[in-house]
Amino acid sequence: SADKVKILGVMITNDLRWRENTAERVKKVNKKYYQLVQLRQFSANQEVLLTTWKILIRPITEYTAPLWHSGLLECDKRILENLQKKALALILGTIYIDYKRYYRVKGKPVPYELALKACDLVPLCERRELLTRKFAHDTYNNPMHKDFFEETSNSRPNTRYKPKVKEHSGSSRRYLTSAGPVMERIVNSTKPA
């Protein structure tokens, strides 16, 4: 039996963890950084470099994110965020002060969070969360996918909370943080993004 399988570009392992998929994202993004390096060598401005990151490279980090985002371990989240940190280092340039990396924004050293704001970016984790919420709502509202979620029976007494879909429960944390249960909770608890 295989330990892992790639289906439509997503690495799925027999332990249902996402470390291999994270490694696959990293490998693909690392191959694309040369585009930023080449553009810098040809004196492309920061706007062009940022557009290249946003349109050509960042989507690789988010490919099928609604499937695996909620099940990521903290170490995988850090690894993925480091991809954007490296991109910003190539786009803005860096300065190290007391062994800590800062980014050059208008000639001044700023930490990662301020560099994100200066570039009108958000952490990748926030983007994946938004993509997951949007996917859950779009799927729920699409008549072609009406069987994806199990509708609740309206036998609940007249209360303020009326779930739209049935929330499946499980005993393991891994199950509760998997895509299905997370999207059921999203549909029941939030408005579309």
Side-chain angles (χ1 to χ4, degrees):
S1 68
D3 289 346
K4 60 186 174 182
V5 64
K6 186 189 268 189
I7 301 174
L8 299 174
V10 179
M11 294 298 295
I12 300 174
T13 57
N14 61 358
D15 64 358
L16 299 177
R17 296 205 184 266
W18 297 105
R19 185 162 288 148
E20 291 283 337
N21 188 61
T22 299
E24 187 73 13
R25 303 288 111 232
V26 170
K27 187 169 124 184
K28 288 184 176 193
V29 169
N30 281 335
K31 287 181 181 177
K32 293 287 186 178
Y33 282 136
Y34 80 92
Q35 293 173 334
L36 292 176
V37 172
Q38 286 182 325
L39 286 169
R40 272 191 79 169
Q41 288 174 346
F42 288 107
S43 303
N45 63 31
Q46 284 184 3
E47 188 176 325
V48 170
L49 295 170
L50 273 170
T51 301
T52 302
W53 165 250
K54 290 179 192 176
I55 294 174
L56 298 177
I57 306 173
R58 183 175 65 186
I60 298 167
T61 71
E62 301 167 342
Y63 179 69
T64 65
L67 173 64
W68 46 263
H69 165 66
S70 59
L72 287 179
L73 299 173
E74 287 302 317
C75 60
D76 293 324
K77 291 177 185 177
R78 279 194 302 276
I79 289 167
L80 288 169
E81 197 62 41
N82 282 338
L83 296 173
Q84 184 160 261
K85 289 179 179 181
K86 183 176 178 180
L88 282 184
L90 291 169
I91 294 166
L92 301 173
T94 57
I95 303 169
Y96 285 86
I97 301 171
D98 295 329
Y99 306 104
K100 191 171 178 185
R101 178 170 38 188
Y102 291 87
Y103 301 86
R104 293 179 192 266
V105 175
K106 297 179 182 174
K108 296 181 181 177
V110 300
Y112 178 62
E113 295 74 21
L114 292 179
L116 286 175
K117 285 183 182 174
C119 295
D120 197 26
L121 297 171
V122 296
L124 293 180
C125 187
E126 281 183 37
R127 281 191 54 84
R128 290 192 306 271
E129 185 68 31
L130 287 171
L131 288 169
T132 302
R133 288 180 181 283
K134 183 178 184 324
F135 180 82
H137 286 291
D138 288 351
T139 303
Y140 176 73
N141 292 319
N142 187 329
M144 291 180 64
H145 303 297
K146 63 182 172 71
D147 295 332
F148 187 83
F149 295 104
E150 187 178 341
E151 295 290 330
T152 58
S153 61
N154 287 331
S155 60
R156 185 181 279 262
N158 192 11
T159 62
R160 287 184 183 181
Y161 177 71
K162 291 191 187 231
K164 298 174 195 163
V165 299
K166 182 176 181 182
E167 291 183 23
H168 293 85
S169 59
S171 58
S172 73
R173 182 185 175 282
R174 192 180 306 177
Y175 175 75
L176 292 173
T177 59
S178 65
V182 166
M183 286 193 243
E184 290 165 353
R185 292 192 298 273
I186 287 170
V187 168
N188 283 335
S189 66
T190 60
K191 294 177 182 174

